[in-house]
Amino acid sequence: MIFDVIIVGGGAAGFFSAIQIATHNPQLKVVILERGKEVLTKVKVSGGGRCNVTHAEFVPNELVKSYPRGEKELRGPFHTFCSGDTVAFFEDRGVALKIEEDGRMFPESDSSQTIIDCFLAETERLGIKVNTSCGVKNIKELSSENSSWEIETSQGIFQTKKIVISTGSNPKIWNQLAALGHTIVSPVPSLFTFNIKDIRINGLMGLSSPAEVKLIDRKNNPIKLENGQKATAKGPLLITHWGMSGPAILKLSAWGARKLFEQNYQFKIQVNWLPTYNQEEVLSDLKELKTSEAKKLVFNTRPFEIPKRLWFKILEVSGITNLHKWAEINKNQLQQLSQELTEATFDVNGKSTFKEEFVTAGGVDLKEINFKTYESKICKNMFLAGEVINVDAITGGFNFQNAWTGAYIVAKAITEVA
């Protein structure tokens, strides 16, 4: 079974590269080999089944800031194929996208099946072969001179001049790539929620509020990221049955993926429910309220823009009841109240996967990839796209954009020299 291009992995990057290759050069014989019974499974579950296709950030130098690993390397590729190109690709094929308030982009149908149907229609139209239940057992370089490839699979032996690896976080394929000379950065989870049991959030499940969150270790020292910066993030924080989630937490889980792994997911977070204030400013405001609202019940006053349920809970843990008037609040209670509002510290014991969208930090070392072509610097005529390489992003459509961009550049490199 001889093909011009073999794509290992039937996910987002695999399908996109196949479609782009066949579009640029319809003469090439292309096959996708997928080990599972179904293709595009991650596309199906993305965005709660709606498929968060990309993000409405159209400036490459801004877009790269959402990638904890890959920020520097993706700058050039995003100047070649960016979010606007993704939108154009789908719209040219009758799939209109919409932008939500937070910048995430979804198909107007609100169904990931729309994206899957688009890809399947394109592969059929372009004559791309798709082999499911086709597990790859071994990848072998046939000739170091012209670098052709032999792939041993559960469906027999395949041969090709050019191979594209788009298998995502697949340890078996990483092992094979390592055997071919690649360095694999050991994978650790990214994009996860924090497990927290604390009376201060009991009964607040489903509550979301803007917050600034800092990562600190068990000894209350700030956790520093690989680049030396303090790990801090702003954004909505969601209280869940198991702890905390939402954009602020997910950003920190991505940026701190390696550091939190090293901490065995036993660490602390410091939450400021009033991100535009510090403790001194809040304490000053509270002292003024004690005078100006002296005769009013504290529970009947909400001086800051935070959800009412959260305000009541913070008053409760600060020792203030629904019978207290502002005049009756003592110095210690004011101090604790200001601290709970701006520097509340919570113990984190473990993590939970964020929905079905499991993302890893790790993969083929970025130093071993030519980002002008996405060709391996170790193996000639081998191209790598998507999460198989050590690139990952925060939540919001950025991981898919990395897949589309890499796949497009792979296709361009293959078809320009084919």
Side-chain angles (χ1 to χ4, degrees), residues 139-151 157-160:
I139 300 169
K140 181 179 166 188
E141 195 173 22
L142 282 181
S143 159
S144 54
E145 284 178 31
N146 61 12
S147 289
S148 55
W149 296 92
E150 182 178 274
I151 300 111
I157 305 288
F158 290 77
Q159 286 185 7
T160 185

Side-chain angles (χ1 to χ4, degrees), residues 42-221:
K42 206 160 184 180
V43 170
K44 194 172 182 66
V45 300
S46 158
R50 295 196 296 144
C51 191
N52 187 184
V53 177
T54 186
H55 200 90
E57 176 51 75
F58 304 105
V59 180
N61 290 349
E62 290 301 313
L63 186 60
V64 293
K65 291 176 183 175
S66 294
Y67 295 82
R69 282 144 293 270
E71 179 177 352
K72 178 166 63 78
E73 291 81 1
L74 288 174
R75 194 167 278 113
F78 282 157
H79 276 92
T80 301
F81 191 92
C82 202
S83 321
D85 300 298
T86 300
V87 174
F89 170 88
F90 285 108
E91 290 192 340
D92 286 350
R93 288 154 183 81
V95 178
L97 303 182
K98 61 176 179 176
I99 304 171
E100 303 214 330
E101 273 184 37
D102 58 4
R104 292 181 303 161
M105 297 192 73
F106 295 89
E108 282 188 351
S109 65
D110 272 333
S111 171
S112 56
Q113 197 59 45
T114 305
I115 304 299
I116 294 169
D117 290 346
C118 169
F119 284 160
L120 294 177
E122 282 295 280
T123 50
E124 193 173 332
R125 181 180 72 82
L126 294 162
I128 298 161
K129 198 163 165 36
V130 180
N131 286 24
T132 53
S133 301
C134 185
V136 170
K137 296 176 182 177
N138 190 37
I139 300 169
K140 181 179 166 188
E141 195 173 22
L142 282 181
S143 159
S144 54
E145 284 178 31
N146 61 12
S147 289
S148 55
W149 296 92
E150 182 178 274
I151 300 111
E152 185 190 343
T153 78
S154 54
Q155 294 178 1
I157 305 288
F158 290 77
Q159 286 185 7
T160 185
K161 178 78 175 168
K162 298 185 192 305
I163 183 170
V164 180
I165 309 292
S166 55
T167 44
S169 308
N170 183 332
K172 287 183 180 175
I173 299 296
W174 276 332
N175 289 341
Q176 291 190 42
L177 293 173
L180 290 165
H182 290 97
T183 306
I184 307 299
V185 177
S186 60
V188 299
S190 181
L191 283 193
F192 48 84
T193 62
F194 297 171
N195 294 352
I196 298 167
K197 284 185 179 173
D198 194 295
I199 58 161
R200 289 171 293 172
I201 58 172
N202 282 358
L204 297 181
M205 283 74 87
L207 184 144
S208 178
S209 186
E212 180 178 35
V213 188
K214 295 176 184 175
L215 295 181
I216 50 180
D217 64 21
R218 287 295 201 207
K219 294 177 181 175
N220 294 321
N221 299 314

Side-chain angles (χ1 to χ4, degrees), residues 5-10 13-14 17 136 139 149 151 162-168 170 173-174 176-177 180 182 364 374 376 379 381-389 410 414:
V5 185
I6 291 177
I7 292 157
V8 182
S17 57
V136 170
I139 300 169
W149 296 92
I151 300 111
K162 298 185 192 305
I163 183 170
V164 180
I165 309 292
S166 55
T167 44
N170 183 332
I173 299 296
W174 276 332
Q176 291 190 42
L177 293 173
L180 290 165
H182 290 97
V364 177
Y374 278 70
S376 162
C379 299
N381 288 329
M382 174 181 279
F383 299 81
L384 305 118
E387 272 190 61
V388 70
I389 65 177
V410 163
I414 287 173

